[in-house]
Amino acid sequence: KSIKNTKKALELGVTDFIYKPFNRNELTSIIEKVLFKTGLPKEGQDTYIDFTKFDISSIITQNPAMLKVFREINHISKTDSSVLLLGESGTGKELAARCIHNNSIRREKPFVPIQCAAIPSELLESELFGYVRGAFTGAQADKPGKFEKANTGTIFLDEIGTLPLELQVKLLRVLQEHQFERIGSNKTIDVDIRIISATNIDLRELIKNRQFREDLYYRLNVVPIVIPPLRERKSDIPLLIRHFIKTFCKKAHVPEKNITKDILEIFMKYSWPGNVRELENTIERMTAFSSDNYLSVKDIPLDILTEMEEFFDDQGQDTAVFLKSAIKAFERSYILKFLEKYNWRLNIVSKHLGIHRNSLTAKIRKFNIKRLSD
């Protein structure tokens, strides 16, 4: 309990603490984590990773934090432990889950992803666990759930923090006893399944607010893996841009496009709140609309241009002033292009530009944009 004893314990190799009276699930979770960590390679240790089994986009990185993630994935794939993937939306949590599955002994078995937040709570139980004929109005035939479809394989529960409390109890039973019942049935179904879950919110806060079961948290959080946001791995942005351009140009059957220096400067300074998914969507959109053999500032979506205009306002540099002026010019032509394309139907144009109609109207006045036919 003293600082002196704590320091001595750490020197002796203690990796975690637990206070009395201890929670059995918490103790089990700590033991499993210690067993996992003893087999992990040390930071900087040269470890062979068979990247040929990973999805190609997953290895586009030179960032140390991401390389550490792949070392962890490579190691945990060889076990059957539950994994909790932590990170913001768009960082690639499902991609990481697929990597774990593809490198595991279950790789030839089903991988079943489910977006918990995308399914209404009243339908989620039947999606996960299935139902029998007559279980409720409209149940005209038996239907297996996701857990049955994932039997012998892996199920990926994204946004696990949105799972209703009553379903958390059933999920806990699957983790503890490997069995459940369909809705409307008393027949127990046994499953051999690995559960990988993901969240972009703090489950411990949900536990404090009694919105998430603590015992379920310890069962899911055996091996936590944190995926860093794109703003913390900006050295990967040029690599990702080139990969996405190559992918989308090949898909569209057009020659591969280049990018201007200005684009790279803007993209390296942009915060990317939507992370890699936002960058991918941005490059796809730019590639689709550009008629040139290169991408330039005029092809950047308006919402990014608007945010970066405010950024350059604070720089006070000649290059920033020049780029700010260029952005304004391109922004005007960008808006005009969409206005003419959709015959000045502001609701449609604002939707495609990703801004509110009132903001679009204000910009039309600001740039004194008029119909070309006027």
Side-chain angles (χ1 to χ4, degrees), residues 83-94 115-118 156-163 197-206 212 217 220 225-229 231 273-275 277:
V83 179
L84 179 61
L85 299 170
L86 305 167
E88 298 175 6
S89 295
T91 50
K93 295 188 290 296
E94 181 172 341
Q115 175 58 263
C116 296
F156 173 57
L157 301 175
D158 199 6
E159 297 196 49
I160 190 69
T162 63
L163 196 67
S197 52
T199 182
N200 59 4
I201 56 179
D202 190 347
L203 295 182
R204 290 169 295 186
E205 283 298 316
L206 294 184
F212 202 86
Y217 171 75
L220 294 173
I225 295 179
V226 180
I227 302 178
R231 64 180 175 276
N275 293 293
R277 185 187 298 134

Tab-separated table of all heavy atoms in Angstrom, residues 83-94 115-118 156-163 197-206 212 217 220 225-229 231 273-275 277:
chain	number	residue	atom	x	y	z
A	83	VAL	N	-10.688	-10.234	-28.154
A	83	VAL	CA	-9.927	-9.021	-28.433
A	83	VAL	C	-10.880	-7.835	-28.449
A	83	VAL	O	-11.969	-7.901	-29.030
A	83	VAL	CB	-9.194	-9.109	-29.787
A	83	VAL	CG1	-8.430	-7.821	-30.080
A	83	VAL	CG2	-8.251	-10.304	-29.805
A	84	LEU	N	-10.468	-6.739	-27.804
A	84	LEU	CA	-11.229	-5.487	-27.844
A	84	LEU	C	-10.402	-4.451	-28.594
A	84	LEU	O	-9.321	-4.056	-28.152
A	84	LEU	CB	-11.537	-5.000	-26.430
A	84	LEU	CG	-12.322	-3.680	-26.335
A	84	LEU	CD1	-13.692	-3.814	-26.997
A	84	LEU	CD2	-12.474	-3.239	-24.885
A	85	LEU	N	-10.898	-4.028	-29.753
A	85	LEU	CA	-10.212	-3.047	-30.580
A	85	LEU	C	-10.704	-1.650	-30.208
A	85	LEU	O	-11.911	-1.387	-30.221
A	85	LEU	CB	-10.475	-3.322	-32.064
A	85	LEU	CG	-9.985	-4.686	-32.565
A	85	LEU	CD1	-10.514	-4.950	-33.965
A	85	LEU	CD2	-8.469	-4.757	-32.539
A	86	LEU	N	-9.761	-0.772	-29.873
A	86	LEU	CA	-10.091	0.572	-29.415
A	86	LEU	C	-9.569	1.596	-30.404
A	86	LEU	O	-8.432	1.486	-30.874
A	86	LEU	CB	-9.478	0.823	-28.034
A	86	LEU	CG	-9.837	-0.196	-26.947
A	86	LEU	CD1	-8.930	-0.020	-25.734
A	86	LEU	CD2	-11.295	-0.062	-26.542
A	87	GLY	N	-10.379	2.578	-30.712
A	87	GLY	CA	-9.943	3.609	-31.646
A	87	GLY	C	-11.110	4.395	-32.183
A	87	GLY	O	-12.265	3.971	-32.093
A	88	GLU	N	-10.812	5.541	-32.775
A	88	GLU	CA	-11.847	6.401	-33.324
A	88	GLU	C	-12.484	5.763	-34.560
A	88	GLU	O	-11.925	4.836	-35.159
A	88	GLU	CB	-11.257	7.762	-33.686
A	88	GLU	CG	-10.687	8.519	-32.502
A	88	GLU	CD	-10.007	9.814	-32.912
A	88	GLU	OE1	-10.085	10.181	-34.107
A	88	GLU	OE2	-9.400	10.464	-32.035
A	89	SER	N	-13.639	6.280	-34.952
A	89	SER	CA	-14.299	5.812	-36.167
A	89	SER	C	-13.405	6.071	-37.373
A	89	SER	O	-12.797	7.143	-37.487
A	89	SER	CB	-15.639	6.524	-36.358
A	89	SER	OG	-16.538	6.184	-35.332
A	90	GLY	N	-13.339	5.086	-38.259
A	90	GLY	CA	-12.569	5.259	-39.481
A	90	GLY	C	-11.109	4.900	-39.391
A	90	GLY	O	-10.365	5.066	-40.356
A	91	THR	N	-10.652	4.383	-38.233
A	91	THR	CA	-9.233	4.052	-38.089
A	91	THR	C	-8.897	2.672	-38.652
A	91	THR	O	-7.724	2.340	-38.816
A	91	THR	CB	-8.801	4.104	-36.611
A	91	THR	OG1	-9.718	3.335	-35.824
A	91	THR	CG2	-8.786	5.528	-36.097
A	92	GLY	N	-9.917	1.856	-38.913
A	92	GLY	CA	-9.667	0.536	-39.499
A	92	GLY	C	-9.823	-0.609	-38.518
A	92	GLY	O	-9.105	-1.608	-38.609
A	93	LYS	N	-10.781	-0.497	-37.592
A	93	LYS	CA	-10.957	-1.555	-36.590
A	93	LYS	C	-11.472	-2.851	-37.217
A	93	LYS	O	-11.038	-3.937	-36.838
A	93	LYS	CB	-11.900	-1.066	-35.477
A	93	LYS	CG	-11.322	0.101	-34.663
A	93	LYS	CD	-12.155	0.447	-33.459
A	93	LYS	CE	-13.475	1.074	-33.804
A	93	LYS	NZ	-13.332	2.390	-34.478
A	94	GLU	N	-12.395	-2.739	-38.179
A	94	GLU	CA	-12.867	-3.966	-38.826
A	94	GLU	C	-11.756	-4.608	-39.647
A	94	GLU	O	-11.633	-5.840	-39.695
A	94	GLU	CB	-14.073	-3.678	-39.726
A	94	GLU	CG	-14.603	-4.953	-40.394
A	94	GLU	CD	-15.906	-4.773	-41.146
A	94	GLU	OE1	-16.618	-3.783	-40.895
A	94	GLU	OE2	-16.215	-5.638	-41.987
A	115	GLN	N	-22.678	-4.583	-37.224
A	115	GLN	CA	-22.620	-3.212	-36.741
A	115	GLN	C	-23.751	-3.016	-35.739
A	115	GLN	O	-24.903	-2.819	-36.110
A	115	GLN	CB	-22.759	-2.254	-37.937
A	115	GLN	CG	-22.828	-0.780	-37.612
A	115	GLN	CD	-21.633	-0.272	-36.860
A	115	GLN	OE1	-21.686	-0.167	-35.647
A	115	GLN	NE2	-20.563	0.033	-37.577
A	116	CYS	N	-23.425	-3.092	-34.467
A	116	CYS	CA	-24.452	-3.065	-33.420
A	116	CYS	C	-25.275	-1.780	-33.448
A	116	CYS	O	-26.485	-1.807	-33.192
A	116	CYS	CB	-23.804	-3.231	-32.043
A	116	CYS	SG	-22.979	-4.828	-31.807
A	117	ALA	N	-24.633	-0.655	-33.753
A	117	ALA	CA	-25.331	0.627	-33.722
A	117	ALA	C	-26.249	0.820	-34.923
A	117	ALA	O	-27.142	1.668	-34.882
A	117	ALA	CB	-24.327	1.769	-33.649
A	118	ALA	N	-26.051	0.043	-35.977
A	118	ALA	CA	-26.823	0.236	-37.204
A	118	ALA	C	-28.153	-0.513	-37.186
A	118	ALA	O	-28.991	-0.294	-38.066
A	118	ALA	CB	-26.004	-0.210	-38.406
A	156	PHE	N	-17.485	-10.449	-35.318
A	156	PHE	CA	-16.952	-9.120	-35.006
A	156	PHE	C	-18.103	-8.205	-34.640
A	156	PHE	O	-18.975	-7.921	-35.468
A	156	PHE	CB	-16.191	-8.559	-36.213
A	156	PHE	CG	-15.747	-7.138	-36.036
A	156	PHE	CD1	-14.944	-6.768	-34.964
A	156	PHE	CD2	-16.131	-6.156	-36.942
A	156	PHE	CE1	-14.528	-5.444	-34.795
A	156	PHE	CE2	-15.721	-4.834	-36.788
A	156	PHE	CZ	-14.923	-4.488	-35.706
A	157	LEU	N	-18.126	-7.749	-33.387
A	157	LEU	CA	-19.189	-6.880	-32.882
A	157	LEU	C	-18.662	-5.451	-32.820
A	157	LEU	O	-17.956	-5.081	-31.875
A	157	LEU	CB	-19.645	-7.355	-31.504
A	157	LEU	CG	-20.191	-8.790	-31.441
A	157	LEU	CD1	-20.483	-9.189	-30.008
A	157	LEU	CD2	-21.446	-8.925	-32.300
A	158	ASP	N	-18.990	-4.668	-33.834
A	158	ASP	CA	-18.532	-3.285	-33.884
A	158	ASP	C	-19.468	-2.394	-33.070
A	158	ASP	O	-20.662	-2.645	-32.986
A	158	ASP	CB	-18.478	-2.805	-35.332
A	158	ASP	CG	-17.599	-1.577	-35.500
A	158	ASP	OD1	-16.956	-1.172	-34.515
A	158	ASP	OD2	-17.545	-1.042	-36.623
A	159	GLU	N	-18.906	-1.337	-32.469
A	159	GLU	CA	-19.643	-0.421	-31.599
A	159	GLU	C	-20.379	-1.184	-30.502
A	159	GLU	O	-21.570	-1.013	-30.286
A	159	GLU	CB	-20.590	0.447	-32.429
A	159	GLU	CG	-19.858	1.351	-33.417
A	159	GLU	CD	-20.724	2.469	-33.966
A	159	GLU	OE1	-21.377	3.166	-33.179
A	159	GLU	OE2	-20.738	2.619	-35.198
A	160	ILE	N	-19.639	-2.014	-29.803
A	160	ILE	CA	-20.193	-2.875	-28.757
A	160	ILE	C	-20.818	-2.061	-27.623
A	160	ILE	O	-21.704	-2.537	-26.914
A	160	ILE	CB	-19.087	-3.815	-28.210
A	160	ILE	CG1	-19.664	-4.884	-27.294
A	160	ILE	CG2	-18.000	-3.015	-27.494
A	160	ILE	CD1	-20.499	-5.907	-27.983
A	161	GLY	N	-20.375	-0.819	-27.459
A	161	GLY	CA	-20.894	0.019	-26.387
A	161	GLY	C	-22.355	0.385	-26.545
A	161	GLY	O	-22.988	0.851	-25.589
A	162	THR	N	-22.914	0.187	-27.746
A	162	THR	CA	-24.325	0.505	-27.984
A	162	THR	C	-25.239	-0.681	-27.705
A	162	THR	O	-26.456	-0.561	-27.832
A	162	THR	CB	-24.547	0.958	-29.439
A	162	THR	OG1	-24.227	-0.128	-30.334
A	162	THR	CG2	-23.661	2.150	-29.775
A	163	LEU	N	-24.664	-1.818	-27.325
A	163	LEU	CA	-25.460	-3.026	-27.090
A	163	LEU	C	-26.354	-2.830	-25.857
A	163	LEU	O	-25.864	-2.475	-24.781
A	163	LEU	CB	-24.531	-4.225	-26.876
A	163	LEU	CG	-25.146	-5.616	-26.991
A	163	LEU	CD1	-25.571	-5.886	-28.426
A	163	LEU	CD2	-24.153	-6.674	-26.522
A	197	SER	N	-14.473	-7.594	-30.545
A	197	SER	CA	-15.370	-6.450	-30.437
A	197	SER	C	-14.583	-5.163	-30.631
A	197	SER	O	-13.350	-5.156	-30.572
A	197	SER	CB	-16.101	-6.448	-29.097
A	197	SER	OG	-15.187	-6.569	-28.025
A	198	ALA	N	-15.312	-4.085	-30.865
A	198	ALA	CA	-14.661	-2.793	-31.092
A	198	ALA	C	-15.533	-1.675	-30.557
A	198	ALA	O	-16.758	-1.796	-30.484
A	198	ALA	CB	-14.395	-2.589	-32.588
A	199	THR	N	-14.889	-0.584	-30.177
A	199	THR	CA	-15.624	0.577	-29.679
A	199	THR	C	-14.804	1.839	-29.889
A	199	THR	O	-13.571	1.792	-29.899
A	199	THR	CB	-15.976	0.423	-28.188
A	199	THR	OG1	-16.728	1.557	-27.760
A	199	THR	CG2	-14.720	0.313	-27.330
A	200	ASN	N	-15.509	2.951	-30.074
A	200	ASN	CA	-14.839	4.250	-30.158
A	200	ASN	C	-15.182	5.110	-28.952
A	200	ASN	O	-14.920	6.308	-28.940
A	200	ASN	CB	-15.221	4.976	-31.458
A	200	ASN	CG	-16.721	5.202	-31.567
A	200	ASN	OD1	-17.484	4.885	-30.654
A	200	ASN	ND2	-17.153	5.736	-32.691
A	201	ILE	N	-15.801	4.500	-27.934
A	201	ILE	CA	-16.138	5.221	-26.709
A	201	ILE	C	-15.523	4.502	-25.508
A	201	ILE	O	-15.113	3.346	-25.605
A	201	ILE	CB	-17.666	5.336	-26.527
A	201	ILE	CG1	-18.321	3.949	-26.538
A	201	ILE	CG2	-18.274	6.206	-27.599
A	201	ILE	CD1	-19.812	3.983	-26.335
A	202	ASP	N	-15.460	5.183	-24.386
A	202	ASP	CA	-14.850	4.632	-23.175
A	202	ASP	C	-15.860	3.761	-22.441
A	202	ASP	O	-16.812	4.268	-21.835
A	202	ASP	CB	-14.381	5.781	-22.275
A	202	ASP	CG	-13.521	5.296	-21.108
A	202	ASP	OD1	-13.501	4.073	-20.859
A	202	ASP	OD2	-12.889	6.134	-20.445
A	203	LEU	N	-15.679	2.450	-22.500
A	203	LEU	CA	-16.609	1.525	-21.855
A	203	LEU	C	-16.595	1.677	-20.340
A	203	LEU	O	-17.593	1.411	-19.665
A	203	LEU	CB	-16.276	0.081	-22.244
A	203	LEU	CG	-16.458	-0.290	-23.721
A	203	LEU	CD1	-16.145	-1.764	-23.935
A	203	LEU	CD2	-17.865	0.024	-24.194
A	204	ARG	N	-15.466	2.120	-19.790
A	204	ARG	CA	-15.395	2.279	-18.331
A	204	ARG	C	-16.323	3.395	-17.855
A	204	ARG	O	-16.872	3.317	-16.748
A	204	ARG	CB	-13.949	2.550	-17.905
A	204	ARG	CG	-13.045	1.335	-18.073
A	204	ARG	CD	-11.591	1.683	-17.914
A	204	ARG	NE	-11.142	2.585	-18.976
A	204	ARG	CZ	-9.886	2.964	-19.140
A	204	ARG	NH1	-8.955	2.529	-18.323
A	204	ARG	NH2	-9.551	3.783	-20.121
A	205	GLU	N	-16.496	4.415	-18.688
A	205	GLU	CA	-17.457	5.465	-18.346
A	205	GLU	C	-18.878	4.920	-18.391
A	205	GLU	O	-19.725	5.283	-17.566
A	205	GLU	CB	-17.317	6.644	-19.316
A	205	GLU	CG	-16.119	7.532	-19.042
A	205	GLU	CD	-16.201	8.191	-17.662
A	205	GLU	OE1	-17.297	8.682	-17.304
A	205	GLU	OE2	-15.182	8.218	-16.955
A	206	LEU	N	-19.157	4.059	-19.366
A	206	LEU	CA	-20.481	3.440	-19.445
A	206	LEU	C	-20.731	2.559	-18.224
A	206	LEU	O	-21.857	2.488	-17.722
A	206	LEU	CB	-20.599	2.608	-20.726
A	206	LEU	CG	-20.565	3.360	-22.056
A	206	LEU	CD1	-20.788	2.395	-23.218
A	206	LEU	CD2	-21.610	4.472	-22.081
A	212	PHE	N	-23.179	-0.332	-19.048
A	212	PHE	CA	-22.444	-1.479	-19.570
A	212	PHE	C	-22.013	-2.351	-18.398
A	212	PHE	O	-21.564	-1.847	-17.368
A	212	PHE	CB	-21.212	-1.027	-20.365
A	212	PHE	CG	-20.704	-2.053	-21.343
A	212	PHE	CD1	-21.241	-2.132	-22.610
A	212	PHE	CD2	-19.703	-2.949	-20.979
A	212	PHE	CE1	-20.791	-3.080	-23.510
A	212	PHE	CE2	-19.245	-3.902	-21.874
A	212	PHE	CZ	-19.794	-3.966	-23.148
A	217	TYR	N	-17.383	-6.522	-19.679
A	217	TYR	CA	-16.202	-5.741	-20.071
A	217	TYR	C	-14.927	-6.553	-19.868
A	217	TYR	O	-14.062	-6.590	-20.749
A	217	TYR	CB	-16.153	-4.450	-19.254
A	217	TYR	CG	-14.865	-3.672	-19.422
A	217	TYR	CD1	-14.603	-2.947	-20.581
A	217	TYR	CD2	-13.906	-3.659	-18.408
A	217	TYR	CE1	-13.418	-2.226	-20.731
A	217	TYR	CE2	-12.720	-2.949	-18.548
A	217	TYR	CZ	-12.489	-2.233	-19.714
A	217	TYR	OH	-11.323	-1.532	-19.856
A	220	LEU	N	-14.626	-9.272	-22.516
A	220	LEU	CA	-14.303	-8.778	-23.862
A	220	LEU	C	-12.898	-8.195	-23.938
A	220	LEU	O	-12.222	-8.299	-24.956
A	220	LEU	CB	-15.307	-7.695	-24.282
A	220	LEU	CG	-16.757	-8.127	-24.479
A	220	LEU	CD1	-17.629	-6.896	-24.726
A	220	LEU	CD2	-16.894	-9.106	-25.630
A	225	ILE	N	-6.377	-3.755	-28.051
A	225	ILE	CA	-5.458	-3.256	-29.069
A	225	ILE	C	-5.938	-1.871	-29.476
A	225	ILE	O	-7.081	-1.703	-29.907
A	225	ILE	CB	-5.397	-4.182	-30.293
A	225	ILE	CG1	-4.799	-5.543	-29.901
A	225	ILE	CG2	-4.588	-3.548	-31.418
A	225	ILE	CD1	-4.716	-6.533	-31.043
A	226	VAL	N	-5.065	-0.875	-29.311
A	226	VAL	CA	-5.417	0.510	-29.608
A	226	VAL	C	-4.895	0.883	-30.992
A	226	VAL	O	-3.701	0.767	-31.263
A	226	VAL	CB	-4.830	1.474	-28.557
A	226	VAL	CG1	-5.222	2.909	-28.886
A	226	VAL	CG2	-5.315	1.082	-27.155
A	227	ILE	N	-5.805	1.327	-31.869
A	227	ILE	CA	-5.420	1.737	-33.220
A	227	ILE	C	-5.353	3.258	-33.260
A	227	ILE	O	-6.350	3.935	-33.011
A	227	ILE	CB	-6.429	1.208	-34.251
A	227	ILE	CG1	-6.522	-0.322	-34.151
A	227	ILE	CG2	-6.022	1.639	-35.664
A	227	ILE	CD1	-7.511	-0.939	-35.086
A	228	PRO	N	-4.190	3.824	-33.544
A	228	PRO	CA	-4.027	5.295	-33.491
A	228	PRO	C	-4.789	5.994	-34.607
A	228	PRO	O	-4.947	5.450	-35.706
A	228	PRO	CB	-2.517	5.478	-33.643
A	228	PRO	CG	-2.054	4.260	-34.371
A	228	PRO	CD	-2.932	3.147	-33.913
A	229	PRO	N	-5.258	7.223	-34.354
A	229	PRO	CA	-5.936	7.999	-35.398
A	229	PRO	C	-4.944	8.474	-36.449
A	229	PRO	O	-3.734	8.508	-36.209
A	229	PRO	CB	-6.523	9.182	-34.615
A	229	PRO	CG	-5.639	9.330	-33.423
A	229	PRO	CD	-5.206	7.938	-33.064
A	231	ARG	N	-4.303	11.409	-37.553
A	231	ARG	CA	-3.561	12.629	-37.211
A	231	ARG	C	-2.307	12.331	-36.400
A	231	ARG	O	-1.423	13.180	-36.274
A	231	ARG	CB	-4.460	13.601	-36.442
A	231	ARG	CG	-4.932	13.100	-35.099
A	231	ARG	CD	-5.820	14.115	-34.391
A	231	ARG	NE	-6.357	13.570	-33.157
A	231	ARG	CZ	-7.451	12.810	-33.093
A	231	ARG	NH1	-8.122	12.526	-34.210
A	231	ARG	NH2	-7.876	12.348	-31.939
A	273	PRO	N	-10.717	14.174	-39.091
A	273	PRO	CA	-11.573	13.636	-38.016
A	273	PRO	C	-12.192	12.290	-38.357
A	273	PRO	O	-12.508	11.510	-37.458
A	273	PRO	CB	-12.642	14.725	-37.840
A	273	PRO	CG	-12.649	15.477	-39.133
A	273	PRO	CD	-11.230	15.459	-39.606
A	274	GLY	N	-12.367	12.019	-39.660
A	274	GLY	CA	-12.908	10.731	-40.070
A	274	GLY	C	-11.841	9.688	-40.339
A	274	GLY	O	-12.144	8.587	-40.809
A	275	ASN	N	-10.565	10.063	-40.084
A	275	ASN	CA	-9.433	9.154	-40.173
A	275	ASN	C	-9.239	8.562	-41.567
A	275	ASN	O	-9.537	9.221	-42.557
A	275	ASN	CB	-9.574	8.071	-39.095
A	275	ASN	CG	-9.421	8.666	-37.710
A	275	ASN	OD1	-8.346	9.131	-37.343
A	275	ASN	ND2	-10.513	8.693	-36.950
A	277	ARG	N	-10.771	6.345	-43.253
A	277	ARG	CA	-11.989	6.228	-44.060
A	277	ARG	C	-12.305	7.548	-44.755
A	277	ARG	O	-12.694	7.565	-45.927
A	277	ARG	CB	-13.164	5.800	-43.185
A	277	ARG	CG	-14.453	5.547	-43.991
A	277	ARG	CD	-15.637	5.290	-43.080
A	277	ARG	NE	-15.421	4.103	-42.284
A	277	ARG	CZ	-15.647	4.020	-40.973
A	277	ARG	NH1	-16.068	5.086	-40.318
A	277	ARG	NH2	-15.453	2.897	-40.325
